[in-house]
Coordinates of all heavy atoms in Angstrom, one line a residue:
M1 N 120.0 166.5 98.5 CA 120.2 167.1 97.3 C 120.8 168.5 97.5 O 120.2 169.4 98.1 CB 118.8 167.2 96.6 CG 118.9 167.9 95.3 SD 117.2 167.8 94.5 CE 117.4 168.9 93.2
A2 N 121.9 168.7 96.9 CA 122.6 170.0 97.1 C 122.0 171.0 96.1 O 121.5 170.7 95.1 CB 124.1 169.9 96.8
F3 N 122.1 172.3 96.5 CA 121.6 173.4 95.7 C 122.7 173.7 94.7 O 123.7 174.5 95.0 CB 121.2 174.6 96.5 CG 120.6 175.7 95.7 CD1 119.3 175.5 95.2 CD2 121.3 176.9 95.5 CE1 118.8 176.5 94.4 CE2 120.7 177.9 94.8 CZ 119.5 177.7 94.2
T4 N 122.7 173.2 93.5 CA 123.7 173.5 92.5 C 123.1 174.1 91.3 O 121.8 174.3 91.2 CB 124.3 172.1 92.0 OG1 123.3 171.3 91.4 CG2 125.0 171.4 93.2
L5 N 123.9 174.5 90.4 CA 123.4 175.2 89.1 C 122.6 174.2 88.3 O 121.6 174.5 87.7 CB 124.6 175.7 88.3 CG 124.3 176.4 87.0 CD1 123.4 177.6 87.3 CD2 125.5 176.7 86.2
Y6 N 123.0 172.9 88.3 CA 122.3 171.9 87.6 C 120.9 171.7 88.2 O 119.9 171.6 87.4 CB 123.0 170.6 87.6 CG 122.3 169.5 86.9 CD1 122.2 169.4 85.5 CD2 121.7 168.5 87.6 CE1 121.5 168.4 84.9 CE2 121.0 167.5 87.0 CZ 120.9 167.5 85.6 OH 120.2 166.5 84.9
S7 N 120.7 171.7 89.5 CA 119.4 171.5 90.1 C 118.5 172.7 89.8 O 117.3 172.6 89.6 CB 119.5 171.2 91.6 OG 120.1 172.3 92.2
L8 N 119.1 173.9 89.8 CA 118.4 175.1 89.4 C 117.9 175.1 88.0 O 116.7 175.4 87.7 CB 119.3 176.4 89.7 CG 118.6 177.7 89.5 CD1 117.5 177.9 90.6 CD2 119.6 178.8 89.6
L9 N 118.8 174.7 87.1 CA 118.4 174.5 85.7 C 117.3 173.4 85.5 O 116.4 173.6 84.7 CB 119.6 174.2 84.8 CG 120.6 175.4 84.6 CD1 121.8 174.9 83.8 CD2 119.9 176.6 84.0
Q10 N 117.4 172.4 86.2 CA 116.4 171.3 86.2 C 115.1 171.8 86.7 O 114.0 171.4 86.1 CB 116.9 170.1 87.0 CG 116.2 168.8 86.7 CD 116.8 167.6 87.4 OE1 117.7 167.8 88.2 NE2 116.3 166.5 87.0
A11 N 115.1 172.6 87.7 CA 113.8 173.1 88.2 C 113.2 174.1 87.2 O 112.0 174.1 87.0 CB 114.0 173.8 89.6
A12 N 114.0 174.9 86.6 CA 113.5 175.8 85.5 C 112.9 175.0 84.4 O 111.8 175.3 83.8 CB 114.6 176.7 85.1
L13 N 113.6 173.9 84.0 CA 113.1 173.0 82.9 C 111.7 172.4 83.3 O 110.8 172.3 82.5 CB 114.1 171.9 82.6 CG 113.7 170.9 81.5 CD1 113.6 171.6 80.2 CD2 114.7 169.8 81.5
L14 N 111.6 172.0 84.5 CA 110.3 171.4 85.0 C 109.2 172.4 85.0 O 108.1 172.1 84.6 CB 110.5 170.8 86.4 CG 111.3 169.5 86.5 CD1 111.5 169.2 88.0 CD2 110.6 168.4 85.7
C15 N 109.5 173.7 85.3 CA 108.5 174.8 85.3 C 108.1 175.0 83.8 O 106.9 175.2 83.5 CB 109.0 176.0 85.9 SG 109.1 175.9 87.7
V16 N 109.0 175.1 82.9 CA 108.7 175.3 81.5 C 107.9 174.1 80.9 O 107.0 174.3 80.2 CB 110.0 175.6 80.7 CG1 109.7 175.7 79.2 CG2 110.6 176.9 81.1
N17 N 108.2 172.9 81.3 CA 107.5 171.8 80.9 C 106.0 171.9 81.5 O 105.1 171.5 80.8 CB 108.1 170.5 81.4 CG 109.2 170.0 80.6 OD1 109.3 170.2 79.4 ND2 110.2 169.4 81.2
A18 N 105.9 172.3 82.7 CA 104.5 172.4 83.3 C 103.7 173.5 82.5 O 102.5 173.3 82.3 CB 104.6 172.8 84.7
I19 N 104.3 174.6 82.1 CA 103.6 175.6 81.3 C 103.2 175.0 79.9 O 102.2 175.2 79.4 CB 104.4 176.8 81.1 CG1 104.5 177.5 82.5 CG2 103.8 177.8 80.1 CD1 105.5 178.7 82.5
A20 N 104.2 174.2 79.3 CA 104.0 173.7 78.0 C 102.8 172.7 77.9 O 102.2 172.5 76.8 CB 105.3 173.1 77.5
V21 N 102.6 172.0 79.0 CA 101.5 170.9 78.9 C 100.1 171.4 79.3 O 99.2 170.6 79.2 CB 101.9 169.7 79.7 CG1 103.2 169.1 79.2 CG2 102.0 170.0 81.2
L22 N 100.0 172.6 79.7 CA 98.7 173.1 80.0 C 97.8 173.1 78.8 O 98.1 173.7 77.7 CB 98.7 174.5 80.6 CG 99.3 174.7 82.0 CD1 99.4 176.2 82.3 CD2 98.5 173.9 83.0
H23 N 96.6 172.5 78.8 CA 95.7 172.4 77.7 C 94.6 173.5 77.9 O 94.0 173.6 78.9 CB 95.1 171.0 77.6 CG 94.5 170.7 76.3 ND1 93.2 171.0 76.1 CD2 95.0 170.3 75.2 CE1 92.9 170.7 74.8 NE2 94.0 170.2 74.3
E24 N 94.4 174.2 76.8 CA 93.5 175.3 76.9 C 92.0 174.9 77.2 O 91.3 175.5 78.0 CB 93.6 176.2 75.7 CG 93.2 177.6 75.9 CD 93.8 178.5 74.9 OE1 94.9 178.3 74.4 OE2 93.1 179.4 74.5
E25 N 91.5 173.9 76.4 CA 90.1 173.5 76.6 C 89.9 172.7 77.8 O 88.8 172.8 78.5 CB 89.6 172.8 75.4 CG 89.4 173.6 74.1 CD 90.7 173.8 73.3 OE1 91.5 172.9 73.4 OE2 90.8 174.9 72.7
R26 N 90.9 171.9 78.2 CA 90.6 171.0 79.3 C 90.9 171.6 80.7 O 90.2 171.4 81.6 CB 91.5 169.8 79.2 CG 91.0 168.8 78.2 CD 91.7 167.5 78.3 NE 92.4 167.3 77.0 CZ 93.5 166.6 76.8 NH1 94.0 166.0 77.8 NH2 94.0 166.4 75.6
F27 N 91.9 172.4 80.8 CA 92.3 173.0 82.1 C 92.0 174.5 82.2 O 91.4 174.9 83.1 CB 93.8 172.7 82.4 CG 94.2 173.3 83.7 CD1 93.9 172.7 84.9 CD2 95.1 174.4 83.7 CE1 94.3 173.3 86.1 CE2 95.5 174.9 84.8 CZ 95.1 174.4 86.0
L28 N 92.6 175.2 81.3 CA 92.5 176.7 81.4 C 91.1 177.2 81.3 O 90.8 178.2 81.9 CB 93.5 177.3 80.4 CG 94.9 177.0 80.6 CD1 95.7 177.6 79.4 CD2 95.4 177.5 81.9
K29 N 90.3 176.6 80.5 CA 88.9 177.1 80.3 C 88.1 176.9 81.6 O 87.2 177.7 81.9 CB 88.2 176.4 79.1 CG 87.0 177.1 78.7 CD 86.5 176.4 77.4 CE 85.2 177.1 77.0 NZ 84.7 176.5 75.7
N30 N 88.4 175.8 82.3 CA 87.7 175.5 83.6 C 88.0 176.5 84.6 O 87.1 176.7 85.5 CB 88.1 174.1 84.0 CG 87.5 173.0 83.2 OD1 86.5 173.3 82.4 ND2 88.1 171.9 83.2
I31 N 89.1 177.2 84.6 CA 89.4 178.2 85.6 C 89.2 179.6 85.1 O 89.6 180.5 85.8 CB 90.9 178.0 86.2 CG1 91.9 178.2 85.1 CG2 91.1 176.7 86.8 CD1 93.3 178.3 85.6
G32 N 88.6 179.7 84.0 CA 88.2 181.0 83.4 C 89.3 181.7 82.6 O 89.3 182.9 82.5
W33 N 90.3 180.9 82.1 CA 91.3 181.5 81.4 C 91.3 181.0 79.9 O 92.3 180.8 79.3 CB 92.7 181.1 82.0 CG 93.0 181.9 83.2 CD1 92.1 182.4 84.1 CD2 94.3 182.3 83.7 NE1 92.8 183.0 85.1 CE2 94.1 182.9 84.9 CE3 95.6 182.1 83.2 CZ2 95.2 183.4 85.6 CZ3 96.6 182.5 84.0 CH2 96.4 183.2 85.1
G34 N 90.1 180.9 79.3 CA 90.0 180.4 78.0 C 90.4 181.5 77.0 O 90.9 182.6 77.3
T35 N 90.3 181.1 75.7 CA 90.7 182.0 74.6 C 89.9 183.3 74.5 O 90.4 184.3 74.1 CB 90.7 181.3 73.3 OG1 89.4 180.7 73.1 CG2 91.8 180.2 73.2
D36 N 88.6 183.2 74.9 CA 87.7 184.3 74.8 C 87.8 185.3 75.9 O 87.2 186.3 76.0 CB 86.3 183.9 74.6 CG 85.8 183.0 75.7 OD1 86.7 182.5 76.5 OD2 84.6 182.8 75.8
Q37 N 88.6 185.0 76.9 CA 88.8 185.8 78.1 C 89.8 186.9 77.9 O 90.8 186.6 77.2 CB 89.2 184.9 79.3 CG 88.3 183.8 79.6 CD 86.9 184.3 80.1 OE1 86.9 185.3 80.8 NE2 85.9 183.6 79.8
G38 N 89.7 188.0 78.5 CA 90.7 189.0 78.5 C 90.9 189.8 77.2 O 92.0 190.3 76.9
I39 N 89.9 189.9 76.4 CA 90.0 190.6 75.1 C 89.6 192.1 75.5 O 88.5 192.4 75.9 CB 89.0 190.1 74.1 CG1 89.4 188.7 73.7 CG2 89.0 191.0 72.8 CD1 88.4 188.0 72.8
G40 N 90.6 192.9 75.3 CA 90.5 194.3 75.6 C 90.2 195.2 74.3 O 90.2 194.7 73.2
G41 N 89.8 196.4 74.6 CA 89.5 197.3 73.5 C 90.8 198.0 73.0 O 91.9 197.8 73.4
F42 N 90.6 198.9 72.0 CA 91.7 199.6 71.4 C 92.2 200.6 72.4 O 91.5 201.4 73.0 CB 91.3 200.3 70.1 CG 92.4 201.0 69.4 CD1 93.4 200.4 68.8 CD2 92.4 202.4 69.5 CE1 94.4 201.1 68.2 CE2 93.4 203.1 68.9 CZ 94.4 202.5 68.2
G43 N 93.6 200.6 72.6 CA 94.2 201.6 73.5 C 94.2 201.2 74.9 O 94.9 201.9 75.7
E44 N 93.6 200.1 75.3 CA 93.6 199.7 76.6 C 94.9 198.8 76.9 O 95.2 198.0 76.0 CB 92.4 198.9 77.0 CG 91.1 199.7 77.0 CD 89.9 198.8 77.3 OE1 90.1 197.6 77.7 OE2 88.8 199.3 77.1
E45 N 95.5 198.9 78.0 CA 96.6 198.0 78.3 C 96.0 196.6 78.7 O 95.0 196.5 79.4 CB 97.3 198.6 79.5 CG 98.0 199.9 79.2 CD 99.4 199.9 79.7 OE1 99.9 198.9 80.2 OE2 100.0 201.0 79.5
P46 N 96.7 195.6 78.2 CA 96.2 194.2 78.5 C 96.4 194.0 80.0 O 97.4 194.4 80.6 CB 97.1 193.3 77.7 CG 98.3 194.1 77.3 CD 97.8 195.6 77.3
G47 N 95.5 193.2 80.6 CA 95.6 192.9 82.0 C 96.6 191.8 82.2 O 97.1 191.2 81.3
I48 N 96.8 191.5 83.5 CA 97.7 190.4 83.9 C 97.3 189.0 83.4 O 98.1 188.2 82.9 CB 98.0 190.4 85.4 CG1 99.1 189.4 85.7 CG2 96.8 190.0 86.2 CD1 100.5 190.0 85.4
K49 N 96.0 188.8 83.3 CA 95.5 187.5 82.9 C 95.7 187.3 81.4 O 96.2 186.2 81.0 CB 94.0 187.5 83.1 CG 93.4 186.1 82.8 CD 91.9 186.1 82.9 CE 91.4 185.9 84.3 NZ 89.9 185.7 84.3
S50 N 95.5 188.3 80.6 CA 95.8 188.2 79.2 C 97.3 188.1 78.9 O 97.7 187.4 77.9 CB 95.1 189.3 78.4 OG 95.7 190.6 78.7
Q51 N 98.1 188.8 79.7 CA 99.5 188.7 79.5 C 100.0 187.3 79.8 O 100.9 186.7 79.1 CB 100.3 189.7 80.3 CG 100.1 191.1 79.8 CD 100.8 192.2 80.7 OE1 101.3 191.8 81.8 NE2 100.8 193.4 80.2
L52 N 99.5 186.7 80.9 CA 99.9 185.3 81.3 C 99.4 184.3 80.2 O 100.1 183.4 79.9 CB 99.3 185.0 82.6 CG 100.0 185.6 83.8 CD1 99.3 185.2 85.1 CD2 101.5 185.1 83.9
M53 N 98.2 184.6 79.6 CA 97.7 183.7 78.6 C 98.6 183.8 77.3 O 98.9 182.8 76.7 CB 96.3 184.0 78.2 CG 95.3 183.5 79.2 SD 95.4 181.7 79.5 CE 95.1 181.1 77.8
N54 N 99.1 185.0 77.0 CA 100.0 185.2 75.9 C 101.3 184.5 76.2 O 101.9 183.9 75.3 CB 100.2 186.6 75.6 CG 99.0 187.3 74.9 OD1 98.3 186.6 74.2 ND2 98.9 188.6 75.0
L55 N 101.8 184.5 77.4 CA 103.0 183.9 77.8 C 102.9 182.3 77.6 O 103.8 181.7 77.1 CB 103.4 184.2 79.2 CG 104.7 183.5 79.7 CD1 105.9 184.0 79.0 CD2 104.8 183.7 81.2
I56 N 101.8 181.8 78.1 CA 101.5 180.4 78.0 C 101.5 179.9 76.5 O 102.1 178.9 76.1 CB 100.3 180.0 78.8 CG1 100.5 180.1 80.3 CG2 99.8 178.5 78.4 CD1 99.2 180.0 81.1
R57 N 100.7 180.7 75.7 CA 100.7 180.3 74.3 C 102.0 180.5 73.6 O 102.4 179.6 72.8 CB 99.7 181.3 73.6 CG 98.3 180.9 73.8 CD 97.3 181.8 72.9 NE 96.0 181.8 73.5 CZ 95.5 182.9 74.1 NH1 96.2 184.0 74.2 NH2 94.3 182.8 74.7
S58 N 102.8 181.5 74.0 CA 104.1 181.6 73.4 C 105.1 180.5 73.8 O 105.8 180.0 72.9 CB 104.7 182.9 73.8 OG 104.0 184.0 73.4
V59 N 105.0 180.1 75.0 CA 105.9 179.0 75.5 C 105.5 177.7 74.7 O 106.4 176.9 74.3 CB 105.8 178.8 77.0 CG1 106.4 177.5 77.4 CG2 106.5 179.9 77.7
R60 N 104.2 177.4 74.6 CA 103.8 176.2 73.9 C 104.1 176.3 72.4 O 104.5 175.2 71.8 CB 102.2 176.1 74.0 CG 101.8 175.5 75.3 CD 100.4 175.1 75.3 NE 99.6 176.2 74.7 CZ 98.3 176.3 74.9 NH1 97.7 175.5 75.7 NH2 97.6 177.3 74.4
T61 N 104.1 177.4 71.8 CA 104.4 177.5 70.4 C 105.9 177.5 70.1 O 106.4 176.7 69.3 CB 103.8 178.8 69.8 OG1 102.4 178.8 70.0 CG2 104.1 178.9 68.3
V62 N 106.7 178.4 70.8 CA 108.1 178.6 70.5 C 109.0 177.5 71.1 O 109.9 177.1 70.5 CB 108.5 180.0 71.0 CG1 110.0 180.2 70.8 CG2 107.7 181.0 70.2
M63 N 108.6 177.0 72.2 CA 109.5 176.1 73.0 C 109.2 174.6 72.7 O 109.8 173.8 73.4 CB 109.4 176.4 74.5 CG 109.9 177.7 74.9 SD 111.7 178.0 74.6 CE 112.4 176.9 75.8
R64 N 108.4 174.3 71.8 CA 108.0 172.9 71.6 C 109.3 172.0 71.2 O 109.6 171.1 71.9 CB 107.0 172.7 70.6 CG 106.5 171.3 70.3 CD 105.3 171.2 69.5 NE 104.2 171.8 70.3 CZ 103.1 172.3 69.8 NH1 102.9 172.3 68.5 NH2 102.1 172.7 70.5
V65 N 109.9 172.4 70.1 CA 111.1 171.6 69.7 C 112.3 171.7 70.6 O 112.9 170.7 70.9 CB 111.5 172.0 68.2 CG1 112.7 171.3 67.8 CG2 110.3 171.7 67.3
P66 N 112.6 172.9 71.1 CA 113.7 173.0 72.1 C 113.5 172.2 73.3 O 114.4 171.6 73.9 CB 113.9 174.5 72.4 CG 113.3 175.2 71.2 CD 112.2 174.3 70.7
L67 N 112.2 172.2 73.8 CA 111.9 171.4 75.0 C 112.1 169.9 74.8 O 112.6 169.2 75.6 CB 110.5 171.6 75.4 CG 110.3 172.8 76.4 CD1 108.8 173.0 76.7 CD2 111.1 172.6 77.7
I68 N 111.8 169.4 73.6 CA 112.0 168.0 73.3 C 113.5 167.7 73.3 O 114.0 166.7 73.9 CB 111.4 167.6 71.9 CG1 109.9 167.7 71.9 CG2 111.9 166.2 71.4 CD1 109.2 167.6 70.6
I69 N 114.3 168.6 72.7 CA 115.8 168.4 72.7 C 116.4 168.4 74.1 O 117.2 167.6 74.5 CB 116.4 169.4 71.7 CG1 116.0 169.1 70.3 CG2 117.9 169.3 71.8 CD1 116.3 170.2 69.3
V70 N 116.0 169.5 74.8 CA 116.6 169.7 76.2 C 116.2 168.5 77.1 O 117.0 168.0 77.9 CB 116.2 171.0 76.7 CG1 116.6 171.2 78.2 CG2 116.9 172.1 75.9
N71 N 114.9 168.1 77.0 CA 114.4 167.0 77.8 C 115.2 165.7 77.5 O 115.5 165.0 78.4 CB 112.9 166.8 77.7 CG 112.1 167.8 78.4 OD1 112.5 168.2 79.5 ND2 111.0 168.2 77.9
S72 N 115.4 165.5 76.2 CA 116.2 164.3 75.8 C 117.6 164.3 76.4 O 118.1 163.3 76.9 CB 116.2 164.2 74.3 OG 114.9 164.1 73.8
V73 N 118.3 165.5 76.3 CA 119.6 165.6 76.8 C 119.6 165.4 78.3 O 120.5 164.7 78.9 CB 120.2 167.0 76.5 CG1 121.5 167.3 77.2 CG2 120.4 167.1 75.0
V74 N 118.7 166.0 79.1 CA 118.6 165.8 80.5 C 118.4 164.3 80.9 O 119.0 163.8 81.8 CB 117.5 166.7 81.1 CG1 117.2 166.4 82.5 CG2 118.0 168.2 81.0
I75 N 117.5 163.7 80.2 CA 117.2 162.2 80.4 C 118.5 161.4 80.2 O 118.8 160.5 81.0 CB 116.1 161.7 79.6 CG1 114.8 162.3 80.1 CG2 116.0 160.2 79.6 CD1 113.6 162.1 79.2
I76 N 119.2 161.7 79.1 CA 120.4 161.0 78.8 C 121.5 161.2 79.9 O 122.2 160.3 80.4 CB 121.0 161.3 77.4 CG1 120.0 160.7 76.4 CG2 122.4 160.8 77.2 CD1 120.3 161.2 75.0
L77 N 121.6 162.5 80.3 CA 122.6 162.8 81.4 C 122.2 162.1 82.7 O 123.1 161.6 83.4 CB 122.6 164.3 81.6 CG 123.4 165.1 80.6 CD1 123.2 166.6 80.9 CD2 124.9 164.7 80.5
L78 N 120.9 162.1 83.0 CA 120.5 161.4 84.2 C 120.8 159.9 84.2 O 121.1 159.3 85.2 CB 119.1 161.7 84.5 CG 118.7 163.1 85.1 CD1 117.2 163.3 85.2 CD2 119.4 163.2 86.4
L79 N 120.6 159.3 83.0 CA 120.8 157.9 82.8 C 122.3 157.6 82.9 O 122.7 156.5 83.5 CB 120.3 157.4 81.5 CG 118.8 157.2 81.4 CD1 118.4 156.9 80.0 CD2 118.3 156.2 82.4
L80 N 123.2 158.4 82.4 CA 124.6 158.2 82.4 C 125.2 158.5 83.7 O 126.1 157.7 84.2 CB 125.3 159.0 81.3 CG 125.0 158.7 79.8 CD1 125.7 159.6 78.9 CD2 125.5 157.2 79.6
F81 N 124.9 159.6 84.3 CA 125.6 160.0 85.5 C 124.8 159.9 86.8 O 125.3 160.3 87.9 CB 126.1 161.5 85.4 CG 127.0 161.6 84.2 CD1 126.6 162.4 83.1 CD2 128.2 161.0 84.2 CE1 127.5 162.6 82.0 CE2 129.1 161.2 83.1 CZ 128.7 162.0 82.0
G82 N 123.5 159.5 86.7 CA 122.7 159.3 87.9 C 122.2 160.5 88.4 O 121.8 161.0 89.4

């Protein structure tokens, strides 16, 4: 497998898919990253854990429809061109 732009984009797509399928109650709560974790007070900077949780929630919310479309295109390209 050569290191091409397509393989780099495919690896990025797989990482975004992995983030999108993380379930909060089943997986993230077991490792201590549930919704009630990382709530800071007023004026405090959010920690890395709460920033990562916000990133995961944002990816799941915003990227749902684009991921379906991009995954479908990639599957069709793989079926057509191998």
Side-chain angles (χ1 to χ4, degrees):
M1 180 174 169
F3 185 71
T4 61
L5 180 63
Y6 178 73
S7 63
L8 186 66
L9 291 175
Q10 193 174 13
L13 178 66
L14 288 173
C15 289
V16 173
N17 279 329
I19 291 173
V21 299
L22 289 176
H23 195 269
E24 207 158 320
E25 285 85 29
R26 284 191 242 156
F27 176 73
L28 296 174
K29 193 173 182 182
N30 290 339
I31 62 171
W33 285 30
T35 53
D36 57 346
Q37 304 290 328
I39 298 174
F42 180 73
E44 294 179 11
E45 296 227 1
I48 188 75
K49 186 188 274 188
S50 63
Q51 288 178 353
L52 284 174
M53 283 303 301
N54 284 335
L55 176 70
I56 291 171
R57 282 190 203 104
S58 299
V59 166
R60 281 192 312 206
T61 303
V62 175
M63 294 296 290
R64 181 169 291 156
V65 174
L67 271 177
I68 293 170
I69 295 167
V70 171
N71 282 325
S72 300
V73 168
V74 168
I75 290 170
I76 291 170
L77 285 175
L78 284 174
L79 286 174
L80 291 177
F81 301 115

